[in-house]
Amino acid sequence: MIAKIFYKQELHTNKDRGNSKFLITDKLKNKYTGCMLGAAIGDALGKQNEGVRREEILKMGYIKDHGRAPKGSPGEKLRAGQYTDDTEQMLVLAQSLIACNGFDAADFASRIAKWGEEVRNDPARSPFIGPSSSYAIEKLNSGISWKESGSDIPSCGSAMRVAPIGLFYDRLENVESNAVLSSIPTHKSKGAIAGAVAVAVAVRSAIEGDDRSEIIRKTCERASNHDIGLAAKIGLAYESRNELPDIVFARLGTSYYVYDTVPCAFYCFFRYFEEPEMAIIEAVNAGGDADSIGCITGALCGAFHGIECFSKKWINSLENKDLVENIAISLFKIFSRFR
C-alpha cells in the first residue's frame, strides 16, 4: 500500500516537473519573440517621428499606433506598419547567426553589403540608411575587408541591430565579444562598439529576468570596457528615470549619435519598467532618431516581459510579423539545443 502511494506521488511530482519545464520553455520562447517583435514595432512606430523635433511632436500629439510618416520625412514612402533599416539590419544579423551557428564576421559583412546595395537602389528605403552604414557598405562592396570597412562616426547603427547577439549567447563574455565583432564591419568607433555591447548585454540580462539594478550594473560594467563616457551616460539615464521625459530628453539628446540614442532608449525602458507599451510610446515620441530609440526600447521591453506585453493590434498590423517571429523562434531553438 505504501509503495502504491509512493508511486502515485512520484508520478504526480514528475508530471509537475514536466509542466514546470514546459512553462519555463514557453516563457523563454515568448521573450525571444517579444524581443524581436518589440524591436520591429518600436522601429515601425518611431519612423513616423524620425527627424521631428520634440516640440513639434508635443504640438501634434503622441504617435500611439502604426501610420504613415509625414511628407518630407525619411519614411514618407513607407507603408503603415512597415519598419526601417534598423529592423532589416537586425534580421540580417539574426539570419547570419542562424546560418553560421554563431557569429561569423565575414558572413555577416557579406550579407550586410548585399542588403545595403539592394536598399540603396530602393527609393522608399534608401533614405533611412545612415552615413556610417552607407560609407561601410560602399567600402565592403568595393572589396575592402570587413576589418577595415567600418566608419569612425559614433552613430547608433550597430546598437540598433544587435539584439540577436544577446539572444544567441548566454555567457556575458561571449555576448560582449560578439557584439564588438558585429559592430566593426560598419561601425568601428569606440562609442558605437560600446553601444552595441550595452544593448546586447541588456537584452541578455532582461532575458534572464534580472531586475533593473542588475541590468544596469551588467550593462554599464561591460560598456565601460569600451567607452567609459557612454557607460556613464547610460548610468545617468538610469538615475534620471523618475524625472519627466521633456527634462531628460533635453539632457540626454535624441540625435542619431550613439551617445544620445542608446541612453534615451535605456531611460524609456527603465522609467516605464513595468509599463512596456508606455515605454515604447515615450520612446517613439522622443523626437530626433525616434525609430532607433523605439527599436532599442522595444527590444529591451520584449526581452524582459515577452510577447504578451504588446497589444495584438501592434503585432497584427506590423508588416512581415511572421518573418520576424519565425526568425526569433529559430534563434530560440538553437539556443535551447545547446543550453
Side-chain angles (χ1 to χ4, degrees):
M1 185 68 174
I2 293 173
K4 286 183 179 180
I5 292 171
F6 177 78
Y7 178 67
K8 287 180 180 179
Q9 287 175 337
E10 186 176 19
L11 280 177
H12 183 70
T13 301
N14 287 338
K15 184 178 178 182
D16 287 345
R17 285 174 181 164
N19 288 338
S20 176
K21 185 177 180 181
F22 173 79
L23 290 172
I24 292 170
T25 301
D26 198 46
K27 182 179 179 181
L28 189 58
K29 183 175 76 172
N30 287 345
K31 285 185 164 220
Y32 273 63
T33 55
C35 179
M36 296 284 282
L37 283 169
I41 288 168
D43 181 15
L45 290 170
K47 75 161 188 283
Q48 299 171 79
N49 280 329
E50 172 73 2
V52 181
R53 294 172 62 237
R54 173 74 172 178
E55 293 80 4
E56 292 302 312
I57 292 170
L58 294 176
K59 290 178 183 177
M60 296 184 295
Y62 270 24
I63 294 292
K64 295 183 179 180
D65 204 353
H66 293 300
R68 298 288 298 270
K71 287 185 178 181
S73 67
E76 65 175 328
K77 296 179 180 178
L78 299 183
R79 296 174 292 277
Q82 186 176 3
Y83 45 71
T84 79
D85 67 303
D86 296 40
T87 302
E88 290 190 17
Q89 289 194 48
M90 178 184 72
L91 295 177
V92 171
L93 174 56
Q95 288 167 326
S96 179
L97 285 165
I98 292 165
C100 299
N101 201 27
F103 185 72
D104 183 299
D107 180 81
F108 174 62
S110 175
R111 289 171 184 265
I112 208 73
K114 183 179 179 181
W115 166 84
E117 195 61 29
E118 172 197 323
V119 173
R120 288 172 71 179
N121 292 320
D122 184 339
R125 295 152 70 204
S126 60
F128 273 103
I129 299 184
S132 300
S133 295
S134 183
Y135 169 87
I137 287 164
E138 187 174 335
K139 295 188 82 171
L140 286 168
N141 282 317
S142 71
I144 292 174
S145 166
W146 64 267
K147 297 177 183 179
E148 307 295 333
S149 57
S151 167
D152 288 319
I153 301 172
S155 57
C156 67
S158 56
M160 71 194 188
R161 71 184 182 217
V162 79
I165 295 289
L167 298 180
F168 193 92
Y169 297 99
D170 58 348
R171 296 179 62 183
L172 289 186
E173 54 265 39
N174 292 334
V175 174
E176 179 181 358
S177 62
N178 284 286
V180 171
L181 283 174
S182 77
S183 182
I184 289 172
T186 55
H187 299 72
K188 64 180 182 180
S189 73
K190 66 176 186 176
I193 288 171
V197 168
V199 175
V201 167
V203 164
R204 185 72 246 166
S205 186
I207 287 284
E208 298 293 339
D210 291 336
D211 61 20
R212 267 189 296 203
S213 60
E214 188 66 2
I215 293 173
I216 194 65
R217 184 190 69 78
K218 290 178 178 178
T219 297
C220 290
E221 182 180 279
R222 296 286 173 169
S224 67
N225 292 334
H226 308 278
D227 191 325
I228 294 174
L230 179 61
K233 199 166 181 184
I234 294 171
L236 175 63
Y238 177 77
E239 293 167 2
S240 303
R241 66 191 182 278
N242 294 322
E243 296 184 55
L244 294 174
D246 285 333
I247 295 171
V248 179
F249 290 148
R251 178 185 301 151
L252 298 177
T254 60
S255 79
Y256 71 91
Y257 288 115
V258 70
Y259 298 105
D260 294 355
T261 309
V262 170
C264 273
F266 274 97
Y267 163 74
C268 294
F269 174 57
F270 287 128
R271 177 170 174 78
Y272 300 103
F273 196 65
E274 299 298 338
E275 302 174 85
E277 284 200 2
M278 191 61 223
I280 291 181
I281 288 172
E282 199 65 73
V284 303
N285 289 285
D289 199 0
D291 60 328
S292 296
I293 298 171
C295 184
I296 296 168
T297 303
L300 295 174
C301 290
F304 187 82
H305 293 281
I307 192 173
E308 293 91 348
C309 76
F310 304 123
S311 72
K312 289 183 178 180
K313 185 178 181 182
W314 277 1
I315 296 171
N316 292 336
S317 55
L318 178 70
E319 191 162 302
N320 296 325
K321 69 178 180 65
D322 291 338
L323 171 66
V324 178
E325 187 169 10
N326 288 337
I327 289 175
I329 291 171
S330 294
L331 285 171
F332 168 73
K333 287 180 177 177
I334 294 173
F335 175 80
S336 300
R337 193 184 310 151
F338 294 103
R339 184 159 184 167

